[in-house]
Structure formats: C-alpha cells, structure tokens
Amino acid sequence: MNKSNLEKLTQCYKNQMTNFEPFIRKVVFHNFKNIASSQELELDFPITVLIGKNGTNKSSALLALYAIRENTNLSDYWFGTLIDSFNTEEEFPRYFYTYQDPNTKEIAEVLQINNQKSSDSDYWETSRPILKDGMKLFNKHPSSAQKTKTRWRKLNKPVYMLISKLTLAHLINIFIIQTN
C-alpha cells in the first residue's frame, strides 16, 4: 500500500469514528489468569483481532470483552477450573475497560471484579473505581444516563466475537478450498 492510499484509508477511518461510538478504548487486567498485572490492551478501532501462541489467554481476554454488555456476566461464558483458575490469595481478579460516553464525551471506566462474596466463585460484578489500579476518581457530574451514583454503567451495545483456533496449515487448506 503506498503512502497516498494509507493516508486516504486513515482519513476515511477518522471520518467514520463517530458512527462506531461508543466502543471499548482500553482494557486493563489485574490478577487475571496469567496476564501480567496492570497489562493494558489499547483498542484504537472497534474491530479487534488478537493473534498469539496457545496459552497466552487470548480467549480469556476476548470473553472478558464480550461480557462488557449490560445484563451479561463473564461467568455466563467462562469459568475457572482447578487447572485454569484465578489466583485469589493476593487480590480479587478484576479488569476495567474504558469507552467514551456519547453524551458528555467523558471517558467512562467500568470495573468488573470477581469478589467472590457469593457462593458462586465465578460470579463477576461491576464495582466502584479502584484508584491503585490506575482508575480515575468517579465524578457523578455532569450527569449522564451512563452513570449511577457511584460508577459508570456497562456499555449497552451489541458485541460480536469469533474465536478461531487455526494453524497455518488450516489457513492454507482454507485458501486452497476457496480457490478451487
């Protein structure tokens, strides 16, 4: 792709950004599986592809993102097992994500935490900001439909996810099938 085409594509993207708002801008994980604590995943575009080796928690991160919607819970899609568990001895597993509030243009920060207060150790819920995690102090002013008295609401927007476990050999076979 030459520089002129790249500049045109970039401008097209910038012109269309408002059509995608709100979308997840960033996710920060703390004590979440074997993802390094304070690990940030910056999302510059509402369509995201994660590629990596097996066992690096790509699927876990995607499922966490999938559970950002209103009326969903991470435990609806995924759970810990004895082999693949959360380390709750130090701190509760948690992550927060950001999006731009369409009304106030503020950056919303929504914390999801597995505080294990209920009998279901896989239950996740929203919580107040945790400042030591790098979150900002919540301010209920200016008012917004996306705010409660103590925190931001979960994003209320459809999220679509596709998890594909393909190897290079699979991709070559798919290419051959599609070209014949």
Side-chain angles (χ1 to χ4, degrees):
M1 178 179 288
N2 65 34
K3 187 175 180 178
S4 175
N5 287 342
L6 183 59
E7 288 170 357
K8 287 178 187 175
L9 184 62
T10 301
Q11 190 58 45
C12 179
Y13 160 72
K14 288 179 181 177
N15 292 342
Q16 296 298 316
M17 283 306 293
T18 56
N19 294 335
F20 293 110
E21 294 291 354
F23 68 89
I24 303 166
R25 303 296 186 120
K26 173 174 74 171
V27 184
V28 181
F29 296 96
H30 292 277
N31 197 31
F32 192 87
K33 301 292 218 154
N34 69 356
I35 298 175
S37 203
S38 301
Q39 182 66 50
E40 288 188 19
L41 177 59
E42 295 279 342
L43 306 171
D44 297 327
F45 192 71
I47 299 171
T48 302
V49 177
L50 297 181
I51 299 171
K53 293 180 179 181
N54 287 342
T56 58
N57 284 297
K58 298 175 302 297
S59 296
S60 297
L62 286 174
L63 287 169
L65 291 173
Y66 193 66
I68 58 104
R69 300 165 296 138
E70 283 284 339
N71 303 316
T72 60
N73 192 299
L74 181 57
S75 64
D76 294 340
Y77 308 102
W78 175 75
F79 52 89
T81 65
L82 292 176
I83 295 172
D84 192 21
S85 64
F86 291 105
N87 176 9
T88 57
E89 293 174 13
E90 296 174 22
E91 295 183 312
F92 293 124
R94 61 195 178 278
Y95 65 97
F96 73 90
Y97 63 91
T98 66
Y99 66 89
Q100 185 179 46
D101 179 19
N103 301 318
T104 66
K105 304 300 183 211
E106 290 178 272
I107 300 298
E109 295 180 332
V110 179
L111 177 65
Q112 293 284 101
I113 189 166
N114 178 263
N115 63 18
Q116 302 187 3
K117 287 182 183 175
S118 72
S119 61
D120 181 0
S121 63
D122 287 324
Y123 184 75
W124 290 74
E125 63 185 358
T126 59
S127 185
R128 296 176 185 202
I130 297 178
L131 301 180
K132 73 175 185 170
D133 286 355
M135 297 181 75
K136 295 179 282 185
L137 191 61
F138 179 77
N139 185 356
K140 63 181 180 180
H141 300 291
S143 64
S144 168
Q146 290 301 110
K147 293 181 178 181
T148 68
K149 291 180 181 179
T150 60
R151 66 198 77 171
W152 287 95
R153 294 187 191 278
K154 292 175 86 174
L155 190 60
N156 190 11
K157 186 175 185 175
V159 175
Y160 303 97
M161 176 179 65
L162 170 67
I163 296 178
S164 177
K165 307 226 180 220
L166 297 175
T167 64
L168 183 56
H170 289 110
L171 292 174
I172 291 169
N173 287 337
I174 290 169
F175 178 74
I176 291 170
I177 292 168
Q178 292 178 351
T179 58
N180 287 335

